[in-house]
């Protein structure tokens, strides 16, 4: 019986590995596992060296940048996953080159305007901002164009299927550079407040952008001439900008708990919650790894008009995401107390948050990459509807639970929100697209679709 079970597991593993997209996901996940340790090391270092209040300010502002930065990219990070695989499959090299050039100009303009608007707001209406946040916000505003361009280049690498190039610079090189900068600043006797650390982050991002740009330039096709068709350029810009509200809202949903806590609790409490969330980096990176490659695979199936193949990709990706999320969460919970203690003795109090957020990750993994499916299909309204319902529900529940139970109430709210999202996503996506996105844990992959 044991031999038969081992044989069945072996066949299932080989079945999963036969999918090129899943092989790419495993490469991405391997990189992200390494990135999880590097990123966790960075957060532990910052929590140890910074005052708890300063660390909380850093956490809140960097989280806001992750959301607002999507506006500066004008949707080109996500549209890259839609257009690059399609033009590559059809060998439309002139359109590919034209799309890349259009995206570069649009991101420069969008992020520049965003930075100018933020700096103007801080200069004209400084009284609306807590003085502790004023200078750190100014530093981040100056760095918006750098961070937006880096995001765009990451989207290009993802669109081409260059998964290591889309993850290593931002998730391994940058944290390593920040740790080096913070270490040097601390050795030199600098006070590591939020302004200093965020300045180091921006400087490290400049180096990452240069490295990523040089590596991409070496790999991109060099003979193709960009299309000069004005209508085509307008189409790319409009298609990307239409993605922006839904994808910005999706990014907002990823960080909504930390953002809301920034208004409801003191920075010290927000930092405890953030430590619990960052401790689950392994589970988050498993899901991100599959997200990174799913959109490209979905786009290739759509370009071939292969509905059965696309359903198979969806099922394989969702099943793999679900089954890998469970052990990653379990390992984190086992190591939870010593892991949180690395941040500092005060952070151990966040273990109940860690357990609840782990459950939320498992529930989220049960619908896999439904958001990426909607992106490549161009179903922006449906995507925006789903994430708007999720965000509104989260805000309502956190306003009810956080005053009662503090940061534990925020984590409990996320569990209920993910349950609600699972039902809404499964029903609406199946009704509108005909595809089944909910996990089928005991369905043979070869029979999917």
């Amino acid at each position: 019986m044991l031999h038969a079970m081992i044989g069945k597991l072996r066949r299932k593993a080989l079945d999963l590995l036969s999918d090129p997209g899943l092989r790419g996901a495993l490469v991405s996940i391997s990189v992200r596992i390494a990135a999880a340790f590097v990123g966790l090391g960075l957060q532990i270092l910052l929590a140890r060296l910074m005052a708890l209040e300063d660390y909380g300010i850093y956490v809140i502002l960097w989280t806001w940048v992750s959301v607002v930065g999507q506006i500066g990219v004008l949707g080109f990070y996500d549209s890259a996953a839609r257009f690059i695989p399609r033009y590559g499959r059809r060998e439309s090299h002139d359109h590919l080159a034209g799309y890349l050039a259009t995206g570069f100009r649009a991101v420069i303009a969008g992020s520049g305007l965003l930075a100018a608007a933020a700096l103007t707001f801080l200069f004209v209406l400084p009284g609306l901002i807590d003085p502790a946040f004023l200078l750190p916000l100014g530093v981040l505003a100056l760095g918006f164009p750098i961070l937006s361009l880096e995001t765009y280049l990451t989207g290009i690498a993802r669109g081409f299927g260059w998964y290591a190039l889309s993850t290593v610079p931002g998730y391994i090189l940058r944290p390593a550079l920040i740790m080096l900068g913070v270490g040097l600043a601390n050795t030199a006797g600098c006070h590591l407040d939020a302004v200093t650390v965020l300045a180091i982050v921006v400087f490290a991002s400049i180096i990452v952008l240069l490295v990523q740009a040089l590596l991409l330039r070496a790999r991109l096709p060099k003979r193709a001439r960009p299309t000069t068709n004005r209508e085509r350029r307008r189409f790319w810009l409009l298609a990307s900008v239409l993605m922006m509200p839904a994808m910005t809202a999706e990014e907002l949903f990823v960080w909504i708990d930390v953002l809301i806590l920034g208004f409801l609790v003191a920075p010290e409490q927000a930092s405890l919650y953030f430590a619990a969330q960052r401790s689950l980096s392994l589970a988050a990176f498993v899901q991100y790894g599959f997200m990174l490659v799913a959109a490209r695979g979905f786009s290739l199936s759509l370009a071939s008009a292969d509905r059965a193949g696309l359903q198979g990709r969806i099922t394989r990706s969702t099943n793999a995401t679900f089954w890998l999320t469970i052990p990653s969460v379990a390992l984190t919970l086992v190591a939870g107390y010593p892991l949180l203690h690395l941040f500092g003795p005060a952070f151990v109090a966040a273990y109940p948050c860690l357990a609840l957020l782990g459950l939320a990750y498992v529930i989220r993994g049960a619908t896999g990459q439904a958001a990426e499916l909607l992106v490549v299909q161009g179903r922006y309204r449906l995507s925006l509807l789903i994430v708007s319902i999720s965000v509104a529900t989260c805000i309502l529940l956190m306003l009810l639970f956080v005053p009662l139970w503090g940061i534990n109430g925020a984590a409990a709210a996320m569990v209920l929100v993910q349950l609600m999202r699972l039902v809404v996503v499964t029903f609406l996506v199946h009704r509108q697209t005909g595809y089944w996105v909910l996990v089928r844990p005991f369905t043979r992959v070869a029979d999917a679709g």
Side-chain angles (χ1 to χ4, degrees):
M1 183 176 179
L2 180 61
H3 184 268
M5 184 179 297
I6 293 174
K8 185 176 181 180
L9 290 174
R10 181 175 177 272
R11 287 193 300 272
K12 194 173 187 66
L14 291 174
D15 202 13
L16 288 171
L17 291 174
S18 65
D19 188 307
L22 290 182
R23 287 200 302 271
L26 292 176
V27 170
S28 175
I29 288 171
S30 300
V31 174
R32 291 303 297 266
I33 289 174
F37 289 104
V38 176
L40 191 59
L42 171 62
Q43 297 304 324
I44 290 171
L45 179 67
L46 294 178
R48 286 285 187 176
L49 296 180
M50 299 174 72
L52 195 58
E53 181 180 2
D54 277 317
Y55 181 62
I57 293 171
Y58 162 80
V59 164
I60 293 168
L61 290 183
W62 185 248
T63 303
W64 271 109
V65 167
S66 299
V67 177
V68 177
Q70 292 290 323
I71 300 174
V73 187
L74 296 178
F76 276 89
Y77 170 81
D78 297 289
S79 67
R82 177 184 177 187
F83 292 117
I84 291 176
R86 179 182 302 179
Y87 293 144
R89 169 66 63 88
R90 297 173 181 174
E91 298 186 357
S92 301
H93 300 304
D94 55 339
H95 283 167
L96 177 59
Y99 168 81
L100 295 176
T102 302
F104 178 76
R105 297 188 191 101
V107 172
I108 288 287
S111 60
L113 288 173
L114 183 64
L119 290 171
T120 301
F121 176 80
L122 293 176
F123 181 76
V124 175
L125 299 170
L128 297 180
I129 305 295
D130 187 322
F133 287 82
L134 198 58
L135 281 177
L137 270 173
V139 172
L140 281 178
L142 290 172
F144 274 156
I146 302 300
L147 297 168
S148 295
L149 279 172
E150 182 193 332
T151 300
Y152 174 55
L153 296 186
T154 299
I156 292 174
R158 181 177 73 142
F160 278 103
W162 301 333
Y163 304 119
L165 185 55
S166 66
T167 52
V168 173
Y171 292 98
I172 293 182
L173 177 60
R174 179 166 54 197
L177 290 172
I178 295 171
M179 283 193 285
L180 176 62
V182 168
L184 291 174
N186 186 63
T187 303
C190 295
H191 177 54
L192 290 174
D193 56 8
V195 174
T196 303
V197 171
L198 288 170
I200 293 172
V201 169
V202 172
F203 183 74
S205 298
I206 293 174
I207 298 175
V208 169
L209 176 64
L210 292 174
V211 170
Q212 199 168 28
L214 290 173
L215 291 174
L216 269 175
R217 185 174 182 179
R219 299 188 67 173
L220 288 173
K222 300 191 173 52
R223 295 181 181 178
R225 298 184 60 184
T227 181
T228 56
N229 187 314
R230 181 178 297 180
E231 291 184 3
R232 176 60 60 175
R233 292 198 299 271
R234 287 179 178 174
F235 167 72
W236 290 322
L237 181 60
L238 181 61
S240 300
V241 169
L242 285 175
M243 284 185 179
M244 187 177 65
M247 301 320 297
T248 301
E250 188 72 34
E251 189 71 18
L252 174 64
F253 179 59
V254 171
W255 300 104
I256 188 67
D257 45 351
V258 177
L259 298 178
I260 297 299
L261 278 177
F263 294 102
L264 299 180
V265 301
E268 295 87 343
Q269 287 294 305
S271 64
L272 297 183
Y273 186 91
F274 185 78
Q277 190 186 67
R278 290 299 86 195
S279 296
L280 284 159
S281 294
L282 185 59
F285 287 170
V286 163
Q287 297 185 2
Y288 180 87
F290 282 99
M291 180 276 289
L292 200 65
V293 300
R296 174 176 169 80
F298 296 165
S299 183
L300 290 173
S301 292
L302 283 170
S304 303
D306 183 5
R307 284 190 62 87
L310 178 54
Q311 179 64 74
R313 284 181 185 271
I314 294 168
T315 302
R316 286 191 292 271
S317 184
T318 303
N319 285 354
T321 301
F322 180 74
W323 284 119
L324 287 174
T325 298
I326 292 175
S328 66
V329 169
L331 285 172
T332 303
L333 293 180
V334 169
Y337 279 110
L339 193 59
L340 289 170
H341 196 273
L342 290 174
F343 286 84
F347 289 87
V348 176
Y351 187 85
C353 289
L354 182 69
L356 288 168
L357 291 174
L359 176 59
Y361 269 113
V362 173
I363 297 169
R364 184 181 179 94
T367 51
Q369 290 69 48
E372 278 60 50
L373 173 65
L374 298 179
V375 166
V376 299
Q377 286 189 313
R379 296 180 179 270
Y380 319 123
R381 292 181 180 177
L382 179 57
S383 180
L384 184 59
L385 173 63
I386 291 172
V387 75
S388 297
I389 293 172
S390 303
V391 168
T393 304
C394 183
I395 293 173
L396 176 62
L397 290 177
M398 290 190 71
L399 289 175
L400 290 174
F401 290 176
V402 172
L404 294 175
W405 302 304
I407 59 175
N408 292 333
M414 290 308 297
V415 173
L416 295 178
V417 170
Q418 293 294 354
L419 279 171
M420 181 278 303
R421 181 182 178 276
L422 180 147
V423 174
V424 171
V425 166
T426 303
F427 173 74
L428 289 181
V429 173
H430 186 263
R431 181 178 179 180
Q432 296 294 321
T433 71
Y435 294 109
W436 185 257
V437 295
L438 185 63
V439 65
R440 296 173 174 178
F442 304 108
T443 298
R444 286 192 59 186
V445 175
D447 296 333

